[in-house]
Amino acid sequence: MIKRVLIGILCGSAILTAGILIGHIGIKKSSSSAPSWVRDVAKDVDQSLIEKFLSEVDSVQIQENLRELTKVPHMATTAGDEQTVQFMLKRWQDPETGLDQAWREEYMVYLSFPDPKNPNKVTVVSPSDTVLHTAREKEKPYTPDQNDPEVVQPYAAYSPAGHVKGKLVYANQGKPSDYQLLSQTVDLRGTIAITRYGGAGRAAKAINAAPYGVLGVLVYTDPLDINDGLMSDVNETYPHSWYMPPSGVERGSFTTHFGDSLTPYLAAKEETYRIPVKNITGIPPIPIQPIGFEDAYKLICELGGKAAPAAWRGAFNCTYNFGGPGFKHTSVFNNSDVKLDIFNHEEVKNSSNVMGVIRGSVEPDRYVIYGNHRDSWVHGAIDPSSGTSVMLELTRVLGVFVKQGKWRPRRSIIFGSWGAEEFGLIGSAEYTEQYFAKLSERTVAYINVDIAVFANATLRASGMPSMQNVIFTAAKQVKAPGLDSTSVYDNWIQYANRTSPAHGTIPRVGYLSGGGSDYAAFVHYLGITSMDISYTYDRSKTNARIYPAYHTAYDTFDYASKFIDPGFVSHQAIARTAGNVLIRLADSLLLPLNCSDYAESLEDYLNTAVTLYQDDLKSSNISMEPLKRAVASFRSAATHLDQVIRSSDLANETPLKVRRINDQLMLLDRAFLDPLAFPDKYAYRHVIWASSSAGQPTFPGLADAFANAESSGKSTDWDKVHYHLSVLSQAIEGAAHTLVDVI
Amino acid sequence: MIKRVLIGILCGSAILTAGILIGHIGIKKSSSSAPSWVRDVAKDVDQSLIEKFLSEVDSVQIQENLRELTKVPHMATTAGDEQTVQFMLKRWQDPETGLDQAWREEYMVYLSFPDPKNPNKVTVVSPSDTVLHTAREKEKPYTPDQNDPEVVQPYAAYSPAGHVKGKLVYANQGKPSDYQLLSQTVDLRGTIAITRYGGAGRAAKAINAAPYGVLGVLVYTDPLDINDGLMSDVNETYPHSWYMPPSGVERGSFTTHFGDSLTPYLAAKEETYRIPVKNITGIPPIPIQPIGFEDAYKLICELGGKAAPAAWRGAFNCTYNFGGPGFKHTSVFNNSDVKLDIFNHEEVKNSSNVMGVIRGSVEPDRYVIYGNHRDSWVHGAIDPSSGTSVMLELTRVLGVFVKQGKWRPRRSIIFGSWGAEEFGLIGSAEYTEQYFAKLSERTVAYINVDIAVFANATLRASGMPSMQNVIFTAAKQVKAPGLDSTSVYDNWIQYANRTSPAHGTIPRVGYLSGGGSDYAAFVHYLGITSMDISYTYDRSKTNARIYPAYHTAYDTFDYASKFIDPGFVSHQAIARTAGNVLIRLADSLLLPLNCSDYAESLEDYLNTAVTLYQDDLKSSNISMEPLKRAVASFRSAATHLDQVIRSSDLANETPLKVRRINDQLMLLDRAFLDPLAFPDKYAYRHVIWASSSAGQPTFPGLADAFANAESSGKSTDWDKVHYHLSVLSQAIEGAAHTLVDVI
C-alpha cells in the first residue's frame, strides 16, 4: 500500500511537474508575454557582425572598382560622368549585392567650361605683337590616359572670359598682404600677376588682385610646395614617382561659395528662381588661368625688378623678382607683355546625385548618411574615385548582408554619390537645400570619404568632437596597412597626437571648419555631426601641400596603383574604418556620440579666446564672462547627461528613454546653428565651426570680429565683437539646455 | 482494475491540469514576460479623466482668481506686476494644488513710460500762446479703480518725447492711402494729424505720417468703431454698459516688431549686446499721443477745410473735415495750433516670466506649452487677467490630479506667465530666443489664451489647420455657457462656419498670421503648431472693434463681472475647452494633429493665388506650376500619412512607431520655416503664416511681392515674386518630404 501510495505520489509529482512545464513553456501568456518588438528595440551593435564586415572588405574589389571608375575622364555632366552614374546605379540596384533602393536626383546647375574649339591661351608677346612664348595648352602625355580627347584643358572654372595683356609681376600666393607688399614697389595697374597655389583660396588670388588694377592672374604650383623641390620628368616626377610633372596643372573651381551659384538656398530645379549672373559673388572679377611650373619657371625666372622676400621664393633655381613690372632688360622677353586669352563659358547643365538606401529596422526615421562626390576634373583616380571605390566596396559588403537576410541596421543608411563637387560642392549642397527639414530632423551623422588615400602612412580624421570616440573605437579594430600587429589607431597616434585632459595622449582629430569637401553643407548649413577621414602622408617625408597629381591629368589608375597605394591596402583600411564607424552609428542602441568630448573642445577654444582677447576686450568694456559661463554650463550639462547614461539600463528601460537621449546627442550640433550670425558667409550657420579668416584656433566669428575691430579700431567694429560674443554665448547656453534634464 | 485505471487517469489528468495552470499562471516567464513599461508606452488619453477635469473647472474659482489679479494695476515691471509674480509663484508652488515646479525667469528689457511728474499734454494754443483747451490727462473716475495712483496716464509707448505744434488735420486711420489722399488737398508740412484707431497698426499711424512733414500725431477711438455710436456717460457708456466712456483712452505699444527692441534675436540678459537706441526700427519717428473721444470730438468738430470722404466719417454729430489745415474760421480755435508735449522716457527694466511644469511620464522630452501674459496696462481684468484666471484654474485642477497621484501626463506640460507682452510680446519672445533649440526640437504645440472672454456669445479660435480637429473634439465635449443642451461646438458653428471639402459645414478657425499676442514668437519664429482661443461677440449685435474697455482704466473686475461675463460661465467654458485640448495634446498616444486639414488650407491658399495672380505671372513668364506641384505633393503625402495611421495598431506596435509618426506631426510646421524669406520682417520665418500687408487670403510672401511688383512694375520686383514662389514651393515640398515614408 505504501509502495502504491509512493508510486502514486511519484507519478502524480511527475505528472504535475510535466503539467507545470507544459503550462510554463508550452502556452503563450496572452496578457503579459512580451511582444516580439521588445527584444528588437533593445538590440545593440553586434560585434561579430563588425568582425564579419572587416574580414569581407576586399582590397582587390576596391582596386577593380577604381579601374572601372577611372576608365575615362568623368568631369561633372560629361558623358564620362553619366557612365559613372550608370555604374553606380547598376551596382546599387544589383539584386545580390545592392541596396534596398537606388535612384538618381537631378539638378540644373551653373557650371563653367573652357571652349574645346578655342583653347585658353597664355602667351608672351613682344611690343611688336610677336608671340615669343606660348604656355602649354595640354599636359604632356606619359600614358594613354593623358591623350584621351576628353581630358579637359587646364582652366580656372568661373574665371570670366577675356583678353588681357600687361607686364608680368610675381605676387607670391595672391594673399591681400602679398598684393599690398608688392604694390609698395610696383605700380600694379595694368599688370598680369603670376601667383603660386597655397596661402589663399583660388578665387581669392584674383579677387584680391583686382582692386590694385591688375588685369589678369596666372597661378601655378611651385615645385617647392608640391614636389619637395623636384622638377625633372627625366627621372624625378611621374611616371618615375608620385611627383607632379613639369606640365602638370591643378584645375579647380574658382568660387568662394558652395552650392549652385544661381540658386542660393534653393534647390536648383528647372523652374527655380535664378539670380542674375551679374549678381553672383565670390568669383574672379578678372581672368585667371592656371599653368604648369614648366611655363611658370620660364616666366618667373625672366622677371625684372627687385628680388622678392625670402618667404616668397619657391624651388626654381633663379631669383624670384617682383617684376619691373615685366621682364628683365637682359631677357629675351624684355619689354614684352604676358597675354591671357580666356574663352571660358558658363552653362546651366543637368548634374546628378546617385542616392541609395538601406532601410532601418527599428528606427527607420533616423539616418546615417555616407557620401562622396563622383565627378572628377580628369580621370580622378584619387580625387574622388578612391573614395567612391571604398564606398562601393562598403555597400557591396553591407548589401550582401542585407540581401542574404543576415542584417538590417537599426537606423536607415543613406548613401550619396554627389555630382559637381569640383565646381563648388554643388550636388551635396543642392541635396541639403531640397531636403532641409527632413535631413535636419532625422540625420544622426554624416560620414564623408572623398579622397580616401592621399598617401599610405597614417589615418587622418576631422570631425565634430562628439565623433572622436567612435572613430577611435573603429580605428582600434582595424589593422594598419602593412603593419599586421599594429592597429590603425596605434599607428595614427604616432603621427598626430595631443594630450586630452580627459583621455591623456590620443590621436589628434581635426575640425571641419572650412568647405573642403561635401561635408560643408551638412556641417555648416544643417548642423549635422560629421566626419571626414582618409589615409595620408608621413609629414617627415614630404612637404607636398597635397598629393602631387591632384586635379591634373596624371591622377589616374596607373598613378594611384603605382604610387599612392600599391595593393590598395590603405584603401582597405579606410573602408574598414569608415564602415566600422558607419555600422556603429547605425546599429548602436545608444548613439556613439560623446558630448563631454565636445565640452573639451569648447573649453580649448575658450582658453585660447581668453588668452588672445580678454585684456583687449576689457579695455573696450566687453566682458567675456557670459561666454565663460556658457562653456561652464555646457560642461556641466554634458557631465550630467553622461551620468544619466551611465546610471541607466537602456536595454531594459522603455525604448523611449534611449530615443530621448539619442535625440539629445543627435541634435546637439543643430543647437549651434544661427542663420543670421554670418551675414557675409554664404550658408555658414554653425557658430563653432564656421570658416574664419583670422587664423586663430578659437571661435571663428569672435576671432574674425576681433581681428577686424583690432585693425579698424572703430567702435562699431568693437560692437560687432560684443554682438558675436552674445551670439556665441547664447548658442552654447542653448546647446547646454538641450543636454540637461529634458524637463 | 479498469476503475482504478480510470481513477488514475482522472487523477493524473487533474494533477496535470493543475500543473499546467500553475505553470502558466503561477510562474513568471523570466525571459519573455512583458516589462511594465510596455503598458505605459501604449497608454492613450483617458476619457474619464477629461470628464473629471471638465466637472472640476469652477467658475467661482476663476472669478476669485480675477478678483485677486486685478486688485491693483499691474503694468509690466511695476510693483503691481511683482505682486502678480508672487501670486502666480505661490499658486504654482502650492504643495496641494500646484505644479511639479515653478520659478521665475528675468530679462532686462527696453520699455517706455510717461513721466508721472511731467504728464504728457495735448493743448490747443492760440497764436498768442494762450491755452484754449487742454485734453484730459487722466480718465474720468466712476469707481475707486480709476483713482488708483498707479493708473498710468494714457500714452503711446515708444513714442519719442518732444514738443511739437502745428495746425490740425484729420487723417482718418493713418494708413498710407489716408495720408496720400489728405495730402492732395492739404499741405501736411508742419501739421499735427489726428487719427482714429483701426485700419493701420499703432506705430504705422506715425511712421506713415512723417514722410509728409507731419510733426505729431493724435489717435483716439471713434465711438463708431467701439461704441456702436454711443457717446454719453449719463446713461450709455460704462458704468451703465460695457461701452467706453468719453474719456476712455486705449493705451498701447507703438512698435511694429515683437520682442525686446535692443536685443534682436538674443535673449535680453544683463550682459547681452544691445544695439544703439538710434538703430531701433519700427517705432514712431515723431511724437504721438492717444486721447479720449471726448477730446477728439472737440478737436475734429472744429476742423476747417473740405469735408473728408464718407468712409472717413465716425459717429460724431458733425462733419469730419480734413482741416484747413487747422480749425474753421468760425471756431473758437480759429488760427490756433494743437500742441503735443510728450515726456515719455525709455528705460531698461527687469521683467519676469513665471514658468511652471508638470513632468511627462512617458515622453518627458515632448512639451505642450500653455501660456498667457501677466502684465496689463492698468488693472487688465479682461486683458490679460481673464486668461490668467483661466490658466490658474486649469493648473489648480491639473495640479490637484498630480499632487493626489491620480494623473501624470504622457508628455510634459509647460505653463508660461509672460511678462511685458503689452510692450511688444517681450517675455514670450525672449523665452523663445533663450531656449530656441530646446523648444524647436521638443514642442508639440503652444496654446495661447490671452483675453479669455471678449464677450459671451461664441467661441473664437485661430490656429494652424492641423489643430482644427482637436479644438473641435474638445469643444464638442463642453457645454455652451447659458445653453445647457448645446455644446460650445454646436453654438460656435452657428456664428462662424465654412464649408470644408473634407468635413462639410464646420466652424471657421482663423489663422495666426499676425503678432496679436504671445503666440507670435512660437508661430513665426519657432514654427510651432499653435492656437489661440477665446469667447467672443455676436457680430449681429455689435460692431465694436474690440471690447470697449480695452487698454483703458475701465478694464476692471467690476467691468468684467458686470458686463463681459456675469457668473464667469464663458470663462469656465474657455477653461474647459482649452484644458481639454491641453490634456489631449499631452496624453494622446497619437498626437491629435491632422496633416490633411493642413493640406486643405494650402489648397485654399493656392486656389486664391491662382485666381489672383496666375494670368499676370504668365505674362511675366513666371510659372505657378512648381507651387501647384508642391501643394499636390503635400496633399498626397498627408493622405499617405493618414493611411499609415489608419492601418497601424499603434498601441500594440513598437512605441518607436507612434513616436516616429508623432515626430512627423509635431515637426510639420518647422518645415515651413525659412529664416531668410522675409528680410524686412523681424522674426517672421513661417512662409505660410507670416504677416502680410497685401490683405489677400493667400500665401503672405507671394501676396506682398505681387502687390509690390504690380505697383512698381519693375522687373526686379517681378524677380522677387518669382523668388518667393520658389521659396514657397521648396518649403511646401520640403514639408511634404517629412510626411511621406521616412525612408
Side-chain angles (χ1 to χ4, degrees):
Chain A
M1 191 61 191
I2 290 176
K3 194 180 161 197
R4 223 177 251 174
V5 169
L6 277 175
I7 289 171
I9 289 173
L10 275 174
C11 284
S13 301
I15 294 168
L16 183 70
T17 304
I20 291 173
L21 286 171
I22 291 168
H24 184 54
I25 297 164
I27 303 177
K28 269 206 164 173
K29 294 202 186 190
S30 60
S31 62
S32 66
S33 74
S36 63
W37 52 258
V38 169
R39 192 178 302 169
D40 296 340
V41 298
K43 246 196 259 170
D44 206 342
V45 67
D46 175 356
Q47 188 51 44
S48 69
L49 179 107
I50 288 181
E51 276 154 27
K52 182 116 178 66
F53 167 82
L54 296 177
S55 75
E56 295 281 326
V57 170
D58 183 351
S59 59
V60 176
Q61 293 276 350
I62 297 175
Q63 173 186 296
E64 294 314 306
N65 292 339
L66 190 69
R67 198 189 302 276
E68 181 67 31
L69 286 164
T70 56
K71 273 185 176 162
V72 293
H74 47 288
M75 183 166 63
T77 73
T78 62
D81 186 23
E82 180 60 24
Q83 260 180 257
T84 61
V85 168
Q86 295 304 333
F87 178 58
M88 301 297 295
L89 282 173
K90 188 175 148 227
R91 288 286 301 270
W92 284 356
Q93 290 173 343
D94 187 288
E96 309 289 318
T97 63
L99 307 174
D100 286 330
Q101 224 184 320
W103 65 95
R104 68 194 295 161
E105 303 213 9
E106 297 183 283
Y107 301 97
M108 307 278 288
V109 304
Y110 183 75
L111 304 180
S112 161
F113 300 100
D115 182 349
K117 289 179 190 153
N118 285 302
N120 295 341
K121 273 189 198 308
V122 175
T123 49
V124 179
V125 290
S126 74
S128 60
D129 258 356
T130 312
V131 174
L132 302 179
H133 176 73
T134 302
R136 255 182 198 282
E137 284 167 22
K138 289 188 167 188
E139 290 149 305
K140 184 172 166 186
Y142 299 104
T143 73
D145 281 329
Q146 287 83 44
N147 279 327
D148 191 304
E150 291 301 315
V151 173
V152 71
Q153 186 200 7
Y155 75 112
Y158 303 109
S159 162
H163 306 275
V164 292
K165 66 176 186 177
K167 298 283 178 279
L168 191 69
V169 295
Y170 174 59
N172 192 28
Q173 297 177 314
K175 300 189 297 286
S177 58
D178 292 334
Y179 288 109
Q180 206 189 353
L181 181 71
L182 180 61
S183 71
Q184 287 165 11
T185 308
V186 186
D187 181 350
L188 293 175
R189 285 174 298 176
T191 61
I192 303 291
I194 183 165
T195 60
R196 56 184 172 125
Y197 273 120
R202 295 192 190 99
K205 293 171 197 289
I207 293 170
N208 298 337
Y212 290 92
V214 174
L215 299 181
V217 177
L218 295 173
V219 56
Y220 78 102
T221 309
D222 198 282
L224 180 73
D225 300 319
I226 202 82
N227 278 1
D228 295 313
L230 301 181
M231 290 180 60
S232 164
D233 71 346
V234 176
N235 55 1
E236 291 175 336
T237 62
Y238 179 75
H240 309 288
S241 77
W242 80 325
Y243 288 123
M244 178 191 264
S247 68
V249 184
E250 178 184 321
R251 293 152 185 80
S253 175
F254 284 62
T255 167
T256 54
H257 300 336
F258 58 84
D260 177 52
S261 305
L262 293 182
T263 58
Y265 302 109
L266 294 169
K269 295 292 175 178
E270 196 179 342
E271 291 168 301
T272 302
Y273 171 69
R274 286 173 165 75
I275 63 169
V277 166
K278 67 174 166 35
N279 291 359
I280 297 175
T281 55
I283 56 172
I286 52 176
I288 179 167
Q289 173 71 16
I291 59 175
F293 65 76
E294 175 186 44
D295 284 308
Y297 176 82
K298 285 173 192 152
L299 299 176
I300 287 176
C301 289
E302 299 298 316
L303 277 174
K306 289 191 186 164
W312 288 35
R313 274 178 228 148
F316 296 153
N317 59 356
C318 66
T319 312
Y320 285 66
N321 293 329
F322 284 139
F327 300 103
K328 305 188 255 214
H329 300 301
T330 54
S331 167
V332 286
F333 298 157
N334 178 29
N335 269 330
S336 295
D337 286 333
V338 169
K339 186 160 182 256
L340 274 64
D341 292 290
I342 307 299
F343 297 94
N344 293 348
H345 64 284
E346 291 81 36
E347 237 179 300
V348 173
K349 292 194 77 182
N350 219 325
S351 170
S352 295
N353 293 336
V354 180
M355 307 301 303
V357 294
I358 300 176
R359 275 187 294 279
S361 54
V362 175
E363 295 181 277
D365 59 337
R366 287 297 174 261
Y367 308 151
V368 183
I369 307 182
Y370 182 111
N372 178 30
H373 66 104
R374 200 185 53 256
D375 67 304
S376 58
W377 280 116
V378 192
H379 297 82
I382 292 301
D383 179 8
S385 307
S386 62
T388 308
S389 301
V390 161
M391 176 158 67
L392 280 171
E393 175 57 0
L394 219 145
T395 56
R396 181 191 70 83
V397 175
L398 298 180
V400 168
F401 290 170
V402 169
K403 297 293 178 186
Q404 293 181 348
K406 287 182 184 159
W407 175 72
R408 180 161 293 286
R410 179 182 181 90
R411 303 180 182 89
S412 296
I413 302 177
I414 299 177
F415 292 96
S417 171
W418 316 119
E421 188 259 12
E422 293 295 4
F423 288 83
L425 321 179
I426 296 179
S428 55
E430 299 308 302
Y431 174 72
T432 59
E433 287 167 350
Q434 181 170 5
Y435 298 101
F436 185 87
K438 182 169 115 162
L439 297 175
S440 299
E441 292 165 7
R442 302 178 188 160
T443 309
V444 160
Y446 175 67
I447 301 172
N448 195 66
V449 180
D450 178 348
I451 296 173
V453 181
F454 288 90
N456 51 20
T458 175
L459 190 71
R460 182 203 57 79
S462 302
M464 266 68 154
S466 43
M467 288 198 81
Q468 170 183 286
N469 193 54
V470 67
I471 299 172
F472 289 173
T473 307
K476 283 174 184 169
Q477 291 188 307
V478 177
K479 282 177 190 150
L483 300 164
D484 264 5
S485 59
T486 308
S487 69
V488 162
Y489 179 92
D490 288 336
N491 179 59
W492 181 18
I493 205 169
Q494 295 171 45
Y495 284 91
N497 59 57
R498 68 176 180 99
T499 304
S500 150
H503 308 293
T505 303
I506 51 172
R508 176 178 294 278
V509 174
Y511 298 139
L512 295 174
S513 49
S517 185
D518 290 299
Y519 54 77
F522 291 93
V523 170
H524 300 297
Y525 187 49
L526 292 180
I528 286 173
T529 309
S530 300
M531 62 172 270
D532 179 90
I533 67 166
S534 56
Y535 236 68
T536 193
Y537 325 98
D538 178 349
R539 277 293 173 206
S540 71
K541 295 199 177 138
T542 179
N543 282 316
R545 51 184 286 275
I546 193 159
Y547 72 97
Y550 175 69
H551 288 194
T552 71
Y554 308 110
D555 187 355
T556 59
F557 182 81
D558 180 73
Y559 179 86
S561 56
K562 282 186 185 149
F563 299 111
I564 298 292
D565 189 21
F568 288 83
V569 287
S570 295
H571 282 77
Q572 186 183 39
I574 284 297
R576 285 171 169 164
T577 308
N580 193 347
V581 172
L582 175 65
I583 294 170
R584 289 174 178 280
L585 286 164
D587 270 358
S588 297
L589 178 63
L590 175 73
L591 282 176
L593 300 173
N594 186 305
C595 55
S596 286
D597 287 339
Y598 221 121
E600 189 170 300
S601 290
L602 295 181
E603 284 161 351
D604 194 37
Y605 266 23
L606 175 67
N607 291 339
T608 305
V610 168
T611 306
L612 292 172
Y613 309 134
Q614 185 166 256
D615 290 346
D616 284 309
L617 291 182
K618 242 182 215 157
S619 53
S620 291
N621 259 326
I622 302 170
S623 167
M624 293 189 79
E625 294 308 312
L627 182 60
K628 290 182 195 171
R629 282 198 303 271
V631 172
S633 296
F634 188 97
R635 164 62 79 181
S636 123
T639 303
H640 174 78
L641 183 59
D642 278 349
Q643 174 57 32
V644 169
I645 292 169
R646 262 198 310 278
S647 62
S648 298
D649 178 13
L650 295 175
N652 293 307
E653 296 181 65
T654 152
L656 294 174
K657 179 162 182 188
V658 69
R659 171 81 167 204
R660 178 198 328 158
I661 295 169
N662 284 340
D663 278 1
Q664 292 179 285
L665 296 169
M666 171 179 83
L667 295 172
L668 175 55
D669 270 297
R670 245 70 100 229
F672 290 115
L673 294 183
D674 182 337
L676 306 176
F678 307 106
D680 301 328
K681 288 182 193 171
Y682 177 74
Y684 280 94
R685 298 181 165 190
H686 197 301
V687 302
I688 311 297
W689 309 122
S691 68
S692 163
S693 49
Q696 297 289 3
T698 186
F699 307 109
L702 178 61
D704 285 1
F706 184 91
N708 199 34
E710 204 184 29
S711 105
S712 84
K714 284 191 208 162
S715 77
T716 51
D717 285 335
W718 286 111
D719 278 357
K720 284 185 188 162
V721 177
H722 190 177
Y723 165 73
H724 205 89
L725 262 174
S726 291
V727 163
L728 196 55
S729 305
Q730 178 162 304
I732 297 171
E733 288 278 8
H737 293 316
T738 70
L739 298 181
V740 293
D741 278 331
V742 292
I743 194 79
Chain B
M1 191 62 192
I2 289 175
K3 196 180 159 197
R4 221 176 253 174
V5 169
L6 276 175
I7 290 171
I9 288 173
L10 276 175
C11 287
S13 299
I15 294 168
L16 182 69
T17 304
I20 290 173
L21 287 172
I22 292 168
H24 183 55
I25 298 163
I27 303 178
K28 270 209 164 169
K29 296 203 183 188
S30 60
S31 62
S32 66
S33 74
S36 64
W37 52 259
V38 168
R39 193 178 303 169
D40 296 339
V41 297
K43 246 195 259 170
D44 206 343
V45 67
D46 177 354
Q47 188 51 44
S48 69
L49 179 107
I50 288 181
E51 276 154 27
K52 183 117 178 64
F53 168 80
L54 295 176
S55 74
E56 296 280 326
V57 170
D58 183 351
S59 58
V60 176
Q61 293 276 350
I62 297 173
Q63 172 187 298
E64 293 314 306
N65 291 339
L66 190 69
R67 198 190 302 275
E68 182 68 30
L69 286 164
T70 56
K71 274 185 175 161
V72 293
H74 47 288
M75 183 167 63
T77 72
T78 63
D81 185 25
E82 179 62 23
Q83 261 180 257
T84 61
V85 167
Q86 295 304 332
F87 178 58
M88 300 297 296
L89 282 172
K90 189 176 147 228
R91 289 286 301 270
W92 285 355
Q93 290 172 343
D94 187 286
E96 309 290 319
T97 64
L99 307 174
D100 286 331
Q101 223 184 322
W103 66 95
R104 70 194 294 161
E105 303 215 7
E106 297 184 283
Y107 301 96
M108 307 278 286
V109 303
Y110 183 74
L111 304 180
S112 161
F113 300 100
D115 182 351
K117 289 180 189 151
N118 287 302
N120 295 340
K121 274 189 198 307
V122 175
T123 49
V124 178
V125 290
S126 74
S128 61
D129 258 356
T130 313
V131 174
L132 302 178
H133 176 73
T134 302
R136 254 182 199 281
E137 283 166 21
K138 288 188 167 186
E139 289 147 306
K140 185 171 163 187
Y142 300 103
T143 73
D145 282 330
Q146 288 83 45
N147 280 326
D148 191 305
E150 292 300 317
V151 173
V152 72
Q153 187 200 5
Y155 76 112
Y158 303 109
S159 161
H163 307 274
V164 291
K165 65 175 184 177
K167 299 283 178 279
L168 191 67
V169 294
Y170 174 58
N172 191 29
Q173 297 178 314
K175 301 189 294 289
S177 58
D178 293 333
Y179 288 110
Q180 205 188 354
L181 181 70
L182 181 61
S183 72
Q184 287 165 11
T185 307
V186 185
D187 181 351
L188 293 174
R189 285 173 299 177
T191 61
I192 304 291
I194 183 165
T195 60
R196 57 185 171 124
Y197 272 120
R202 295 192 190 98
K205 293 171 197 290
I207 293 169
N208 298 337
Y212 290 93
V214 174
L215 299 179
V217 177
L218 295 173
V219 56
Y220 79 104
T221 310
D222 197 282
L224 179 73
D225 301 319
I226 202 83
N227 277 1
D228 295 314
L230 301 181
M231 289 180 62
S232 164
D233 71 347
V234 176
N235 55 1
E236 292 175 336
T237 63
Y238 180 75
H240 310 289
S241 76
W242 80 325
Y243 288 122
M244 179 192 262
S247 69
V249 184
E250 178 184 323
R251 294 153 184 79
S253 175
F254 283 62
T255 166
T256 54
H257 301 336
F258 57 85
D260 176 54
S261 305
L262 293 182
T263 57
Y265 303 108
L266 295 169
K269 295 291 177 180
E270 196 179 342
E271 291 167 301
T272 302
Y273 171 68
R274 285 173 166 75
I275 63 170
V277 166
K278 66 174 165 40
N279 291 357
I280 296 175
T281 56
I283 56 171
I286 53 177
I288 179 166
Q289 173 72 16
I291 59 175
F293 66 75
E294 175 186 45
D295 285 307
Y297 177 81
K298 285 171 193 153
L299 299 176
I300 287 177
C301 289
E302 299 298 316
L303 277 174
K306 289 192 185 162
W312 288 34
R313 275 178 228 147
F316 296 153
N317 58 355
C318 66
T319 312
Y320 285 64
N321 292 330
F322 284 141
F327 300 104
K328 302 188 259 214
H329 300 303
T330 54
S331 167
V332 287
F333 298 157
N334 179 27
N335 269 331
S336 295
D337 285 334
V338 169
K339 186 160 181 255
L340 274 63
D341 292 290
I342 307 301
F343 298 94
N344 293 349
H345 64 284
E346 292 80 36
E347 235 179 302
V348 172
K349 293 194 76 181
N350 221 323
S351 170
S352 294
N353 293 336
V354 180
M355 306 302 303
V357 294
I358 301 176
R359 275 186 295 278
S361 55
V362 175
E363 295 181 276
D365 59 337
R366 288 296 174 263
Y367 308 150
V368 183
I369 307 181
Y370 182 111
N372 178 31
H373 66 104
R374 199 186 54 257
D375 66 305
S376 58
W377 280 116
V378 192
H379 297 82
I382 293 301
D383 180 9
S385 307
S386 61
T388 308
S389 300
V390 161
M391 176 159 68
L392 280 171
E393 176 56 0
L394 217 145
T395 56
R396 182 192 67 83
V397 177
L398 298 180
V400 168
F401 290 170
V402 168
K403 297 292 180 187
Q404 293 180 348
K406 287 181 185 158
W407 176 72
R408 180 161 292 286
R410 178 184 182 89
R411 305 181 180 87
S412 296
I413 302 178
I414 300 176
F415 293 97
S417 171
W418 316 120
E421 187 261 11
E422 292 296 3
F423 288 83
L425 320 179
I426 296 179
S428 55
E430 299 308 302
Y431 174 72
T432 59
E433 287 167 351
Q434 183 171 3
Y435 298 102
F436 185 88
K438 183 169 113 161
L439 297 176
S440 300
E441 292 165 7
R442 300 176 190 161
T443 309
V444 161
Y446 174 67
I447 300 172
N448 195 67
V449 180
D450 178 347
I451 296 173
V453 182
F454 287 90
N456 51 19
T458 175
L459 190 71
R460 183 203 56 77
S462 303
M464 267 70 153
S466 43
M467 286 197 83
Q468 169 183 285
N469 193 56
V470 67
I471 300 172
F472 289 173
T473 307
K476 284 174 184 170
Q477 291 188 306
V478 177
K479 282 177 192 152
L483 300 164
D484 263 5
S485 60
T486 308
S487 70
V488 162
Y489 179 92
D490 288 335
N491 179 60
W492 181 18
I493 205 170
Q494 295 170 45
Y495 285 91
N497 60 57
R498 68 174 181 102
T499 305
S500 149
H503 308 295
T505 304
I506 52 172
R508 176 179 293 279
V509 175
Y511 298 140
L512 296 174
S513 49
S517 185
D518 289 300
Y519 53 77
F522 291 94
V523 171
H524 300 298
Y525 188 49
L526 291 180
I528 285 172
T529 309
S530 299
M531 62 171 272
D532 180 88
I533 67 167
S534 56
Y535 235 67
T536 193
Y537 325 98
D538 177 351
R539 277 290 174 207
S540 71
K541 296 198 177 139
T542 180
N543 283 315
R545 51 184 287 276
I546 192 159
Y547 72 98
Y550 174 70
H551 289 194
T552 72
Y554 308 110
D555 187 356
T556 59
F557 183 81
D558 180 72
Y559 179 86
S561 57
K562 282 187 186 147
F563 299 111
I564 299 290
D565 189 21
F568 287 84
V569 287
S570 296
H571 282 78
Q572 187 182 37
I574 285 296
R576 285 171 170 165
T577 309
N580 194 346
V581 172
L582 175 65
I583 294 170
R584 289 175 178 280
L585 285 165
D587 269 359
S588 298
L589 178 63
L590 175 72
L591 281 177
L593 300 174
N594 185 304
C595 55
S596 287
D597 287 338
Y598 221 121
E600 189 171 299
S601 291
L602 295 180
E603 285 161 351
D604 195 35
Y605 266 23
L606 175 67
N607 291 338
T608 305
V610 168
T611 306
L612 291 172
Y613 309 134
Q614 186 166 255
D615 290 347
D616 285 310
L617 291 182
K618 244 182 214 155
S619 53
S620 291
N621 258 326
I622 302 169
S623 166
M624 292 188 79
E625 294 308 313
L627 182 60
K628 290 182 195 171
R629 281 199 303 271
V631 172
S633 296
F634 189 97
R635 165 61 79 181
S636 124
T639 303
H640 174 79
L641 182 59
D642 278 348
Q643 173 58 30
V644 168
I645 292 169
R646 262 198 310 279
S647 62
S648 298
D649 177 13
L650 295 174
N652 293 307
E653 296 181 65
T654 151
L656 294 174
K657 179 162 182 188
V658 70
R659 170 81 169 205
R660 179 201 323 160
I661 294 169
N662 284 340
D663 278 1
Q664 291 179 284
L665 295 169
M666 169 179 83
L667 296 172
L668 175 54
D669 269 298
R670 243 71 99 230
F672 290 114
L673 294 183
D674 183 337
L676 306 175
F678 307 106
D680 300 328
K681 289 182 194 172
Y682 177 73
Y684 279 95
R685 296 182 167 190
H686 197 301
V687 301
I688 311 296
W689 310 122
S691 68
S692 163
S693 48
Q696 298 289 3
T698 186
F699 307 109
L702 178 61
D704 284 1
F706 185 91
N708 199 34
E710 203 183 28
S711 105
S712 84
K714 284 192 207 163
S715 76
T716 51
D717 284 335
W718 286 110
D719 278 357
K720 283 184 190 163
V721 177
H722 190 177
Y723 165 72
H724 204 89
L725 262 175
S726 291
V727 163
L728 197 54
S729 306
Q730 177 161 304
I732 297 172
E733 289 277 9
H737 293 317
T738 70
L739 298 181
V740 293
D741 279 332
V742 292
I743 193 81

